[in-house]
Amino acid sequence: MRSVLQLRTPQSGNGDQHQFGGLNGKPAVKTVAASVRFRDPQIEMAHGAGGKASRRLIEGLFAPLLFNNTAAPLGDAARVEIDGSAVAMTTDSFVVKPLKFPGGSIGELAVNGTMNDLAVSGARGQAMLVTFVLEEGLPTSVLSDEVHAMAAAAERAGVTIVGGDTKVVERGKADGMYITTTGIGKFMAHVVIDPQSVRPGDKIILSGPIGDHGITILLARGELDLEADLSSDTRCVLPLIETMAEEAAPGIRWMRDPTRGGVATSLNELARDCGLGIVLSEEDIPMRNEVRGACELLGLDALHVANEGQFLAVVAPEYTDAAVNALSQTAGGEDACVIGEVRNEPSCAVLVTTRYGGSRIVDMLVGDPLPRIC
């Protein structure tokens, strides 16, 4: 489950059972029973790809039964209020195959991914829990390498791993290991992420080249007779976001790390949530030649390919220069740039203008062309 909802815990403690059955004093069971809309007969790989099928599963089954059937936009981290204090919470599972790949591994990915979900929600990760699902027969050396990778990534990110859980399953059931990380964070001052605050004229900023992670994983599996000097972009983007916030916090409207489903899916979700159009300039989107070439050969749209170390930001026009300048002067942010803007039309859609003067509508990811990339 990628998307999460803002929650507030019951404050009064007066024993009113409705506060526990559903928010707003309404019993949850009666209101959600008729709202379950998920009709797919079985779960397919596409339901975990972050695209349309994932959205259908979350909105049609999880949200009605688990999120009190809310119509509020879903984000990368929940805002939870406890006795008047707000914290950010998020959780993510990692099933990437192979476990190691150029530029990273599942352990490093698990820390960076959760930290990034907090960062693009405007929060600094403070503590993390980790759950391992290990396969019987996994060499201890492999597990040790991933634990070391997690420790190093956590130290770089400035987060403390405070606990977790371990389960072991039979041989052939887990491809070595799966990892789930859950993070809790403290919100940054003056940074408010809300898709409904996005306005026409706002600029779309991208922190760097797209597609590195997805294409790297695809090539690392050795299933294609292709070679390229490419590495995953996995990293913690918190330092970049903190730097941008120092210079442009009041102008930051929305952020998202475009992982599964890529840039196209993240921006389509934004377009739908804010009711406006997103217009991108294809020529301005940074992309390595290796990624462009692989996508052309394989018939992939790079805008749908996963990233693990980039983020998108929507920034008010008067703060755009300050935000881009701050990013470009920070290590790892040299390629940050404006790739488009928010407009009234096309409503609830993403339009890409091509370098040849044409244009095309880009939808959310359909199907799962690159399964298990994170």
Side-chain angles (χ1 to χ4, degrees), residues 114-287:
T114 291
M115 285 294 290
N116 290 347
D117 282 346
L118 291 170
V120 296
S121 302
R124 298 182 185 88
Q126 303 292 308
M128 188 176 293
L129 297 170
V130 56
T131 296
F132 293 96
V133 177
L134 307 176
E135 180 179 327
E136 179 188 21
L138 176 71
T140 301
S141 59
V142 173
L143 176 59
S144 177
D145 286 349
E146 295 314 311
V147 175
H148 278 89
M150 296 187 75
E155 182 175 2
R156 288 193 297 270
V159 66
T160 302
I161 297 177
V162 295
D165 188 29
T166 304
K167 296 290 190 300
V168 179
V169 299
E170 298 90 342
R171 292 175 186 268
K173 301 294 185 182
D175 280 337
M177 74 174 79
Y178 302 143
I179 300 176
T180 295
T181 46
T182 300
I184 186 168
K186 182 178 181 181
F187 286 104
M188 303 176 199
H190 310 303
V191 177
V192 178
I193 306 302
D194 182 359
Q196 295 178 350
S197 70
V198 172
R199 298 288 181 267
D202 289 348
K203 305 302 181 185
I204 313 295
I205 295 175
L206 176 63
S207 62
I210 64 170
D212 287 4
H213 180 75
I215 298 301
T216 295
I217 297 300
L218 185 65
L219 298 179
R221 290 175 182 164
E223 298 169 351
L224 299 171
D225 189 18
L226 294 175
E227 293 184 1
D229 184 14
L230 199 62
S231 297
S232 168
D233 59 359
T234 179
R235 61 175 175 172
C236 176
V237 300
L238 177 62
L240 291 170
I241 290 176
E242 286 185 313
T243 299
M244 183 176 70
E246 288 176 3
E247 302 297 327
I252 299 174
R253 316 272 205 202
W254 173 91
M255 291 188 287
R256 181 67 58 85
D257 56 332
T259 55
R260 295 171 299 158
V263 168
T265 297
S266 293
L267 291 180
N268 268 283
E269 290 175 343
L270 170 63
R272 199 181 74 162
D273 290 342
C274 70
L276 298 170
I278 308 295
V279 179
L280 303 179
S281 170
E282 185 178 66
E283 194 168 11
D284 293 332
I285 298 172
M287 188 188 319

Side-chain angles (χ1 to χ4, degrees), residues 44-46 48-49 95-98 213-214 217-218 221 223 260 365 367-374:
E44 308 288 351
M45 293 298 289
V95 297
V96 65
K97 181 183 179 182
H213 180 75
I217 297 300
L218 185 65
R221 290 175 182 164
E223 298 169 351
R260 295 171 299 158
L365 176 68
D368 191 8
L370 299 173
R372 295 181 57 181
I373 43 80
C374 62

